[in-house]
Amino acid sequence: MKKRALGKTGFEISPIVFGGNVFGWTIDEKTSFDVLDAFVDHGFDAIDTADVYSVWVPGNQGGESEAIIGRWLKARPGMRDRVKIFTKVGMDMRQPGKTGLSEKRILQAVEESLSRLGIERIDLYFSHCFDPNVPQAETLGAYEKLLKAGKIRSIGASNFDAAQLSDALDTAKAEGLPAYQVLQPEYNLYDRASYDGPLRDLCLRDGLGVVPYYALASGFLSGKYRSEADIGDSKRGDKVKSYLTPRGLKILEALDKVAERHGAKDAEVALAWLIEREGVTAPIASATKISQIESFAKAVSLDLTSQDMTELEAASAP
């Protein structure tokens, strides 16, 4: 599988990143191990998680996803050398003091993440969201300490808008601090407005890697949800309902047509579209079963034509 350079991090990854938010939420530990095994067996090599996954589940305290990944790595000697681990800091862990991007919080959080993951260095450490209460120089200064200590290899920003990211890059340059090298935005065939435009232009100009999350719009772009009746008891039901609009159904129609031409599934085409987008390094996608990992491999091998891309563009235009 051909790999892609991830911005200026100095390393390469395969064209799809596994989204670890499902671990400890929609799938148990055994199933998590199975899908991770299949992911690596198919030639993929990057896993994304966060300290806050999955604090929203009753009985959880956050860190469950990292801990499952850590136990998977421990149970498979040599696996750590085969995969890149991404995690994040900054979201509210619903515990006193465990939120935001202050130096104190970052230095505390990284130790907790390293311990749960059972590793000595995080390959890519993200600011999970912009923190208006902390100067960007303080956040970047904390990352500088971690980079020098060898506890993280590179840094990225998630959920930053163009102004916030631009300010961070300017601050890094002006104060001689490390700059964000990767952006993790919400971006898919339906959710395009926040990334397409100034944010994308900034990433292209400064050579940032881009790893979009919600690549399949919480499963909507798989095509299995065509009405509220299809949602049933899905744990992502509320999010999926928001996509059941005339525009959303138009996107599904376009996916159906392109998928039929290629003998593929809607989800595979939706991922292939993202992989083909200018500036996108690798979309982040979750899986709860091995068959979905097989679809990831099919998506990477799909060769969408200019006609395919035009039809998808037209259907998904905001």
Side-chain angles (χ1 to χ4, degrees), residues 25-100:
W25 176 29
T26 57
I27 55 176
D28 61 19
E29 185 161 316
K30 181 185 182 303
T31 306
S32 300
F33 281 27
D34 290 343
V35 294
L36 282 171
D37 287 343
F39 185 73
V40 174
D41 287 346
H42 278 80
F44 297 104
D45 63 355
I47 303 164
D48 177 80
T49 185
D51 59 0
V52 77
Y53 299 162
S54 47
V55 75
W56 57 86
V57 177
N60 284 4
Q61 296 186 357
E64 287 78 16
S65 174
E66 290 180 329
I68 287 174
I69 293 168
R71 290 191 289 272
W72 174 73
L73 289 171
K74 185 177 181 180
R76 284 144 179 76
M79 185 61 74
R80 178 66 186 101
D81 296 330
R82 298 175 60 187
V83 295
K84 305 294 188 300
I85 302 295
F86 307 167
T87 193
K88 313 180 197 72
V89 58
M91 288 289 192
D92 187 357
M93 298 284 284
R94 303 181 186 178
Q95 298 174 46
K98 292 192 174 185
T99 188

Side-chain angles (χ1 to χ4, degrees), residues 141-253:
Y143 290 143
E144 182 176 44
K145 291 183 178 181
L146 295 180
L147 288 162
K148 288 181 176 178
K151 295 186 177 183
I152 63 175
R153 185 174 177 182
S154 56
I155 59 173
S158 182
N159 298 303
F160 277 45
D161 63 26
Q164 292 160 354
L165 181 58
S166 180
D167 180 59
L169 296 174
D170 289 346
T171 298
K173 186 175 182 179
E175 303 199 21
L177 294 168
Y180 290 125
Q181 298 158 317
V182 182
L183 175 72
Q184 185 175 142
E186 179 177 5
Y187 188 51
N188 55 58
L189 262 171
Y190 191 104
D191 299 299
R192 295 181 55 182
S194 64
Y195 175 69
D196 279 340
L199 189 55
R200 181 186 64 184
D201 294 345
L202 178 60
C203 290
L204 288 171
R205 187 196 75 190
D206 282 41
L208 272 71
V210 177
V211 288
Y213 70 90
Y214 280 167
L216 293 176
S218 297
F220 174 73
L221 296 174
S222 70
K224 65 180 178 180
Y225 304 112
R226 308 275 173 158
S227 68
E228 290 196 19
D230 294 330
I231 296 173
D233 59 355
S234 170
K235 293 182 179 180
R236 303 188 185 205
D238 289 342
K239 182 72 172 177
V240 173
K241 283 181 184 179
S242 68
Y243 295 115
L244 292 173
T245 65
R247 177 171 169 263
L249 296 176
K250 185 179 179 182
I251 291 170
L252 292 186
E253 288 177 10

